[in-house]
Every structure is written in C-alpha cells, then in structure tokens.
Amino acid sequence: HAAEAHRTDLMTITRFVLNEQSKYPESRGDFSILLSHIVLGCKFVCSAVNKAGLAKLIGLAGETNVQGEEQKKLDVLSNEVFIKALVSSGRTSILVSEEDEEATFVEPSRRGKYCVVFDPLDGSSNIDCGVSIGTIFGIYTVKDTNEPTLDDVLQPGKNMVAAGYCMYGSSCMLVLSTGEGVNGFTLDPSLGEFILTHPDIKTPKKGKIYSVNEGNAKNWDEPTAKYVDNCKFPKDKAPAKSLRYVGSMVADVHRTFLYGGIFLYPADKKSPNGKLRVLYEVFPMSFLMEQAGGQAFTGKERALDLNPKSIHERSPIFLGSYDDVEEIKELYAAHEKKN
Ligand code: P6P
C-alpha cells in the first residue's frame, strides 16, 4: 500500500513549496512563483544536456545547425535560459551568474523581492565525457526593490532564504532547502514534474569517504596535508577512508549528502583563495550541508559567515559530515596556535 500511496500521492515540488508557504499566511506566493521559473530552467537544461551527445552526433552542438545558426555552447545556452526565466518571473531584482562578469539589474517594471546568484552549468567541462553536471543557486531577499544595489548580493551566506542545485546525471534531481531541512525531487520525464523522492535528507554524522583533487597535494598547507594523510594512514587503526573525486562539484557534494564524508577544495600556494566561487558554489552548498546536519568551513571560519566583497570572489571550502569537518577544524585551530 505504501508503494501504491507513493505512486498516487504525487508530491510535486510545486505542491511541496505551496504546502510550506501555507505556513506563512502573509506570503503572497512570490517564492512559489520564483521557484516555478527556476524549475522551468532546470527542465530545459536537463533536456538540452541529455541531447548534447546526440546533438554532437547530428552535427548540431558547436557547429552551425540546420538553420545555419551557430549552435551555442551548453553553458552559454543554460545561462540565457535562466536569465530569461528569472527576469520573466517578475520576482527578481538582481541576478549574478558565473557566466556574466557583471550582475544583471532587472528593469524597474519587472522587479521583485528576490536576488538570485547561480552557476547555470557547473562542471560543464565534463559534459563531453558524460559526467554529471549541475545548476547551483542561492536566493537572497532585496533590501529595497526601488533601489537594488550590489550590497543586496554581497551578503553572508547565512542570510540566504533558500539554496539548491539540480544535478543532470543518470536522473535529473533537484535538491532544495528553504531553511527548514533539505528535500530531493526527481524529474519524472513522463510527467514533466519533479517528484519528492528524498524527503528530509540528513548527511551521516561521520563518513568513510574523502573527496579532493590529490593532484594539488604539493601546494597544500599543513592542516590540509595532515588531514588527507590521516584519511590514508589513520593514526587510530581505523580503516583508511576511500577517495572519491568526480571533479564536478554537484556530483561530489550530492554523493557527500547521501553517503557522508568530506569534500575539500582547499587553498593552495597557486590559488590562496582556493578555486570555488563564494556566492554560487560555496554558499549554496554550505547552506544545504548545514540544513542536512553537516558543516561547512573555509579553513578560517564557518563558510556561511563569510562576507563577500565581490561577486566572483573565491574561497577554500571543507564541507560534509559534521564529525569529519570538526576534525579539520581542529587541525586548523592547532596550526593557528602554533604560528
Ligand atoms: P579541479 C568544475 O570545473 C569546478 O568548478 C567544480 O564543479 C569542481 O568541483 C571543481 O571545479 C574541480 O576543480 O581543479 O579539481 O578540476
């Protein structure tokens, strides 16, 4: 019966968010409308990513298509789709995209109370080899719709009202938090709806996996090097951890949510602020990880306490199972004391 109920009790992402919103009688449904436009963008990108391989076969992607138009690269196409969807929602005032050097200020007649920071297709260098990639987004509320400024998006991640990602892999999965836990929705292509499949995701308190690009080991600082060494040669006779590294943040972090463990993109001598972007990679994944019972740390502070000074700023990030991140925090604290 449970299976039967599940099949007929179709909890779509739209219904789920409307249910959540009904807890706030004063809300006018703005967030639900914003989310429905984000969902539309995700469905479009999911379809385009799935066709990308075929498009290459029939000579579309990268070359001129049958209309003789230059076929756009998927990340450029995805960016255009999300910008258009978000502006047309009439619920946003500022958009920050990994693809655009400058922020987009929505024209006054179409402005709404939200600011969306997003990476339309993170990990897109992995498309051609079929590795999972994804869209990552975070949502702030604007201080004054009449006067939106960059300060509305240069806020600590703890001020986000929602964050999520959509992973385009063997299935298309949207993982979302509006500040009351994390829920996962899987796209049912036959219905064109995201169905609740992973209610209330909680990451295991401790994991057996570490996820880092070991190729950067020669440039790591001492605490990171020590932590990774402990993973491989545990001092306390515990079994060594397994290394899993896809090289696509959405894939690596999604696995960390479900299986536990720790994802690291540390600072190194070459890039003292690490590689990942604060607004639309570090903050949304840190927001979700804390909502799932994990932690997110920059090597100096709680990731969500960071105060970004520019929209494409980078930060080191250590996120995942609570106990695993606690270990690396202790190593950084000890290192701090010594110096
Ligand atoms: P590296 C993909 O290019 C990305 O931005 C993230 O999705 C991923 O976690 C990281 O970079 C991988 O970087 O240096 O290990 O190839």
Side-chain angles (χ1 to χ4, degrees):
H1 286 307
E4 189 49 42
H6 174 73
R7 248 199 302 281
T8 51
D9 175 25
L10 281 184
M11 180 50 82
T12 65
I13 192 165
T14 311
R15 273 187 61 203
F16 186 86
V17 171
L18 283 170
N19 287 354
E20 296 245 307
Q21 169 203 316
S22 60
K23 296 173 199 164
Y24 307 99
E26 77 288 350
S27 93
R28 299 194 334 264
D30 289 322
F31 184 79
S32 304
I33 291 169
L34 172 65
L35 187 80
S36 66
H37 285 76
I38 291 174
V39 165
L40 178 69
C42 292
K43 288 179 187 173
F44 178 93
V45 173
C46 175
S47 155
V49 164
N50 288 346
K51 279 188 219 130
L54 290 173
K56 250 199 176 24
L57 284 179
I58 54 179
L60 280 184
E63 285 103 45
T64 54
N65 62 17
V66 287
Q67 288 81 15
E69 295 141 12
E70 172 61 27
Q71 187 65 21
K72 290 189 172 68
K73 278 169 57 65
L74 266 183
D75 43 9
V76 173
L77 185 68
S78 306
N79 186 49
E80 286 177 9
V81 165
F82 276 108
I83 295 278
K84 287 196 179 91
L86 290 167
V87 170
S88 67
S89 76
R91 296 311 186 276
T92 62
S93 286
I94 304 176
L95 307 176
V96 170
S97 167
E98 192 269 347
E99 288 288 329
D100 297 330
E101 195 48 44
E102 303 303 326
T104 300
F105 286 82
V106 179
E107 43 153 323
S109 64
R110 310 294 296 271
R111 276 185 198 151
K113 67 184 202 185
Y114 294 109
C115 304
V116 183
V117 293
F118 64 101
D119 187 343
L121 205 54
D122 183 81
S124 50
S125 55
N126 293 296
I127 291 179
D128 296 350
C129 61
V131 159
S132 299
I133 52 181
T135 299
I136 311 173
F137 60 90
I139 301 171
Y140 293 106
T141 46
V142 71
K143 293 185 186 80
D144 174 2
T145 44
N146 299 317
E147 197 58 44
T149 71
L150 275 188
D151 290 344
D152 288 311
V153 288
L154 294 176
Q155 299 189 49
K158 63 190 169 194
N159 295 350
M160 283 188 172
V161 292
Y165 61 82
C166 190
M167 184 170 77
Y168 312 108
S170 51
S171 66
C172 177
M173 226 183 124
L174 204 157
V175 174
L176 173 74
S177 174
T178 56
E180 291 166 30
V182 181
N183 291 283
F185 302 83
T186 304
L187 181 64
D188 177 336
S190 64
L191 294 175
E193 290 282 3
F194 280 97
I195 307 295
L196 179 65
T197 50
H198 294 65
D200 196 23
I201 297 175
K202 291 295 175 206
T203 194
K205 194 162 178 298
K206 189 161 179 48
K208 303 187 179 72
I209 295 170
Y210 73 104
S211 185
V212 68
N213 182 341
E214 290 255 9
N216 297 331
K218 67 181 178 311
N219 297 319
W220 289 338
D221 62 20
E222 190 189 315
T224 292
K226 252 188 186 163
Y227 180 79
V228 173
D229 196 55
N230 290 346
C231 290
K232 298 195 273 195
F233 308 99
K235 303 283 175 287
D236 57 3
K237 296 284 166 282
K241 290 186 193 271
S242 292
L243 169 60
R244 293 283 182 276
Y245 192 70
V246 179
S248 173
M249 187 184 199
V250 172
D252 280 316
V253 174
H254 186 67
R255 183 203 55 249
T256 307
F257 274 119
L258 299 185
Y259 295 178
I262 186 167
F263 171 79
L264 312 88
Y265 207 106
D268 66 37
K269 292 184 193 102
K270 276 185 321 174
S271 14
N273 287 325
K275 172 183 183 181
L276 300 181
R277 311 285 185 160
V278 172
L279 281 188
Y280 40 77
E281 289 177 312
V282 172
F283 277 170
M285 293 312 203
S286 300
F287 184 98
L288 290 164
M289 194 47 83
E290 287 198 358
Q291 287 290 319
Q295 287 199 73
F297 177 62
T298 67
K300 291 194 177 71
E301 61 188 306
R302 176 192 176 215
L304 290 182
D305 287 343
L306 258 179
N307 244 316
K309 294 291 172 283
S310 68
I311 59 175
H312 297 297
E313 193 171 300
R314 302 169 194 265
S315 167
I317 182 69
F318 307 88
L319 60 78
S321 293
Y322 193 91
D323 291 356
D324 295 341
V325 177
E326 200 57 29
E327 273 176 45
I328 200 152
K329 282 168 71 174
E330 285 159 8
L331 286 166
Y332 269 95
H335 184 71
E336 203 60 32
K337 257 196 223 114
K338 243 174 27 187
N339 298 341

